[in-house]
């Protein structure tokens, strides 16, 4: 009996020791993973930030300075490069066209996408599942396959080479992603709040705009950023459907400006035009970046 008791005591003494070793191994593994993750993030930040800073500095230099000393600071900071890009290359006109098209398309797609996601997430009706999966299938449809049908469709409606035609096209292609993203947000909202709004006398429209939509604000902000980035950088659709130079958007103007100079390239003005193109995206992202954290969720049908 004394031998059995001694064995049990020794086993109980060994158990905390093994637990401590396991805990140390887990902590050591977590530290190595964190160190590797931070190293990769630092490397990725350098890869992204250094070219951006180089473009920014080069936008204040002359072509000769860029070619002779590409990594040196400019002897004279040439702010006139931005004026040349804004006026001579018509970047200002293209910038205004982009703002009009993207802002209008973003407003429409956020409104329609939120309404569509809300209906599919909160109400039961025949065909609800079919509509959801048809909208979801729109995410898998390549843009370039729709270029030719879109061209003739807009031509038949008299919307080819017009801002409204481009706005509607942007809305159509961004709507499935918006609905897919917002579906889970409206699905997770408490039903008691909606019922309380109805008891207080609010109709369906008022309950949506004044109660449910503000509660989905984090998701709305996150999807608005993603849509803005996608629409602002859109190139294929404007090139195919918007050939009127007076209505070109910024991506078309940048491509034309870069290719038109051929052998006599004003690199300073070109880099200034690039900075003008990138700055709105950075501003929007920096303002709303906190909304993205914790807002990305998968829209699963339930």
């Amino acid at each position: 009996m004394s031998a059995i008791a001694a064995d049990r005591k020794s086993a109980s003494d060994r158990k905390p020791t093994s637990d401590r070793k396991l805990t140390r191994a887990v902590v050591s593994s977590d530290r190595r993973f964190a160190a590797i993750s931070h190293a990769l993030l630092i490397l990725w930040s350098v890869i992204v930030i250094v070219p951006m800073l180089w473009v920014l500095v080069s936008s204040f230099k002359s072509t000769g300075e860029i070619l002779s000393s590409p990594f040196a600071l400019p002897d004279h900071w040439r702010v006139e490069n931005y004026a040349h890009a804004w006026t001579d290359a018509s970047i200002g006109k293209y910038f205004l066209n982009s703002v009009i098209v993207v802002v209008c398309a973003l407003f429409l797609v956020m409104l329609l996408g939120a309404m569509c996601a809300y209906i599919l997430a909160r109400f039961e009706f025949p065909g609800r599942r079919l509509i959801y999966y048809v909208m979801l299938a729109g995410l898998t449809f390549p843009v370039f396959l729709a270029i030719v049908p879109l061209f003739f469709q807009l031509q038949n409606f008299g919307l080819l080479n017009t801002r409204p035609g481009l706005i509607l096209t942007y809305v159509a292609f961004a709507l499935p992603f918006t609905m897919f993203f917002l579906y889970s947000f409206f699905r997770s909202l408490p039903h008691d709040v909606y019922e309380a709004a109805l008891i207080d006398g609010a109709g369906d429209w008022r309950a949506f705009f004044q109660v449910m939509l503000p509660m989905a604000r984090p998701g709305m902000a996150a999807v608005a950023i993603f849509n803005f980035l996608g629409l602002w950088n859109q190139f294929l659709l404007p090139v195919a459907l918007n050939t009127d130079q007076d209505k070109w958007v910024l991506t078309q103007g940048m491509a034309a400006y870069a290719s038109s100079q051929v052998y006599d390239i004003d690199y300073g003005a070109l880099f200034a035009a690039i900075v003008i193109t990138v700055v709105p995206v950075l501003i929007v992202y920096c303002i709303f970046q906190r909304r993205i954290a914790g807002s990305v969720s998968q829209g699963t049908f339930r």
Side-chain angles (χ1 to χ4, degrees):
M1 294 295 291
S2 61
I4 295 174
D7 291 340
R8 290 180 178 177
K9 184 177 181 179
S10 60
S12 62
D13 292 339
R14 288 195 301 269
K15 187 174 181 180
T17 304
S18 62
D19 291 343
R20 286 195 296 269
K21 290 181 179 179
L22 180 60
T23 303
R24 291 174 184 174
V26 172
V27 171
S28 177
S29 178
D30 291 342
R31 288 178 179 175
R32 286 196 298 268
F33 179 77
I36 295 173
S37 300
H38 282 81
L40 292 176
L41 288 174
I42 291 173
L43 178 61
W44 179 253
S45 300
V46 171
I47 293 174
V48 172
I49 294 174
V50 169
M52 293 177 60
L53 292 178
W54 181 75
V55 170
L56 179 62
V57 173
S58 298
S59 66
F60 294 97
K61 299 164 70 173
S62 64
T63 301
E65 289 177 326
I66 294 174
L67 296 177
S68 61
S69 54
F71 299 107
L73 293 176
D75 297 331
H76 173 66
W77 294 81
R78 299 177 181 271
V79 184
E80 59 269 18
N81 287 341
Y82 287 87
H84 293 162
W86 190 265
T87 56
D88 299 343
S90 300
I91 296 299
K93 178 175 65 177
Y94 305 143
F95 185 89
L96 180 60
N97 290 336
S98 289
V99 170
I100 294 174
V101 171
V102 171
V103 169
C104 293
L106 187 62
F107 173 78
L108 289 176
V109 76
M110 292 304 299
L111 177 63
L112 297 177
M115 295 172 68
C116 181
Y118 174 74
I119 294 298
L120 293 176
R122 308 293 298 186
F123 294 93
E124 298 286 345
F125 56 89
R128 167 174 167 264
R129 185 180 296 272
L130 177 62
I131 295 174
Y132 176 84
Y133 284 118
V134 168
M135 294 288 291
L136 197 61
L139 291 172
T140 65
F141 194 80
V143 176
F144 61 87
L145 290 181
I147 292 298
V148 175
L150 269 175
F151 181 88
F152 290 106
Q153 197 70 24
L154 292 177
Q155 190 178 46
N156 293 334
F157 283 101
L159 296 175
L160 191 64
N161 298 326
T162 63
R163 294 192 189 96
L166 195 59
I167 291 171
L168 292 177
T169 305
Y170 280 7
V171 171
F173 275 94
L175 189 60
F177 170 75
T178 306
M179 185 280 303
F180 171 75
F181 197 99
L182 294 177
Y183 175 86
S184 60
F185 283 92
F186 286 112
R187 188 75 177 179
S188 62
L189 294 180
H191 194 71
D192 297 340
V193 178
Y194 173 75
E195 292 180 347
L198 295 183
I199 293 174
D200 289 339
D204 289 331
W205 288 94
R206 186 176 179 183
F208 171 70
F209 282 105
Q210 295 187 0
V211 179
M212 308 304 288
L213 193 61
M215 293 177 65
R217 190 176 301 170
M220 293 286 291
V223 75
I225 294 174
F226 290 129
N227 280 331
F228 178 82
L229 296 177
L231 298 179
W232 186 265
N233 296 322
Q234 184 61 248
F235 180 71
L236 181 59
L237 291 176
V239 167
L241 307 176
N242 185 35
T243 57
D244 187 355
Q245 189 170 354
D246 291 334
K247 299 181 179 64
W248 276 3
V249 295
L250 201 52
T251 51
Q252 291 175 278
M254 283 294 303
Y257 181 54
S259 60
S260 64
Q261 300 188 40
V262 191
Y263 299 106
D264 187 18
I265 301 177
D266 186 357
Y267 284 106
L270 181 61
F271 285 130
I274 294 174
V275 173
I276 294 173
T277 305
V278 173
V279 162
V281 178
L282 293 178
I283 292 175
V284 171
Y285 180 78
C286 290
I287 293 174
F288 297 103
Q289 62 175 333
R290 294 183 180 178
R291 297 288 186 178
I292 296 180
S295 296
V296 180
S297 59
Q298 297 179 353
T300 55
F301 193 90
R302 292 178 290 177

